[in-house]
Amino acid sequence: MTGGIVYLVGAGPGDPGLMTRRSLELIAAADAILYDRLVPPGALDGARPGAELRYVGKAPGAAAMDQEEVNALLVELGRAGRRVVRLKGGDPFVFGRGGEEAEALAAAGVPYEVVPGVTAGVAAPAYAGIPVTHRDRASAVAFVTGHEDPDKGESAIDWAALGAFPGTLVMYMGIRRLAEVAQRLIDTGRDAAEPAAVIERGTLPDQRAV
């Protein structure tokens, strides 16, 4: 069988209304869908009968499948001629490990297409009434992970640069290290009195902002 292709699809941050028309079209046409834990409720409702639906998500401390296995499965399905949707929360290339999957597909010669999604770093603050850029207050925004790969050994985050960054900082997945992150930013020059928000379950009906 020939003609397989893998779509790395962003499903948005949680509100089903933020899924793109392109993502819904691909879900409806897919032979196989590999989906994450944080896809919006009802995201798979439009899958056609007979489509293979496979959960490959990662919960804190427990992964249904490690990343290397996910990469290998995408390659296997693509080589088998399947039309595959890799459905990811948010945007596949913003802390979604889509870059790793794209690299694996490219190395294997499997065609793929990236379908952007709305990322939580913009959507969750917006739903809380917080613009990440503002003409009078913030002309730049930086997205930062609060959960680096534990196997890296040394942090790749330049905390001194973030302490001096002249704009909005958006930290993803940072709740477990919140106190440490705040202290490091203050230690590297961030004003301790600067307004800040912590947002939980962004864009969902029970979103909470502190």
Side-chain angles (χ1 to χ4, degrees):
M1 195 172 181
T2 59
I5 185 170
V6 176
Y7 297 93
L8 305 176
V9 179
D15 182 344
L18 295 180
M19 293 183 69
T20 65
R21 184 171 71 179
R22 178 67 170 153
S23 72
L24 297 174
E25 290 171 350
L26 291 171
I27 288 168
D31 300 313
I33 302 172
L34 279 58
Y35 64 97
D36 275 352
R37 178 173 64 95
L38 297 176
V39 299
L44 302 174
D45 290 353
R48 64 179 181 77
E52 177 184 353
L53 306 180
R54 188 156 179 175
Y55 173 69
V56 296
K58 301 174 182 68
M65 185 179 291
D66 67 33
Q67 189 61 50
E68 290 70 24
E69 291 175 312
V70 174
N71 295 351
L73 183 56
L74 290 172
V75 168
E76 176 188 333
L77 292 170
R79 282 179 168 167
R82 310 287 293 281
R83 187 179 178 95
V84 184
V85 166
R86 173 69 176 103
L87 192 63
K88 309 171 80 67
D91 180 277
F93 277 5
V94 181
F95 302 126
R97 304 194 73 172
E100 296 166 63
E101 293 168 355
E103 287 176 329
L105 292 163
V110 175
Y112 69 91
E113 180 182 313
V114 182
V115 179
V118 178
T119 184
V122 172
Y127 274 49
I130 302 168
V132 294
T133 65
H134 187 287
R135 184 169 182 175
D136 297 327
R137 298 180 181 274
S139 296
V141 58
F143 295 150
V144 186
T145 180
H147 183 72
E148 287 189 275
D149 181 352
D151 295 328
K152 276 201 298 196
E154 187 174 323
S155 174
I157 296 175
D158 186 338
W159 290 99
L162 294 180
F165 183 72
T168 304
L169 299 179
V170 179
M171 184 74 62
Y172 286 69
M173 304 168 289
I175 195 67
R176 289 178 182 230
R177 298 180 58 218
L178 182 60
E180 176 190 346
V181 166
Q183 191 60 55
R184 291 192 77 165
L185 290 172
I186 292 168
D187 290 346
T188 53
R190 211 81 188 174
D191 184 352
E194 181 178 5
V198 178
I199 301 173
E200 178 184 36
R201 295 183 61 76
T203 78
L204 294 171
D206 55 347
Q207 172 170 318
R208 184 168 69 111
V210 177

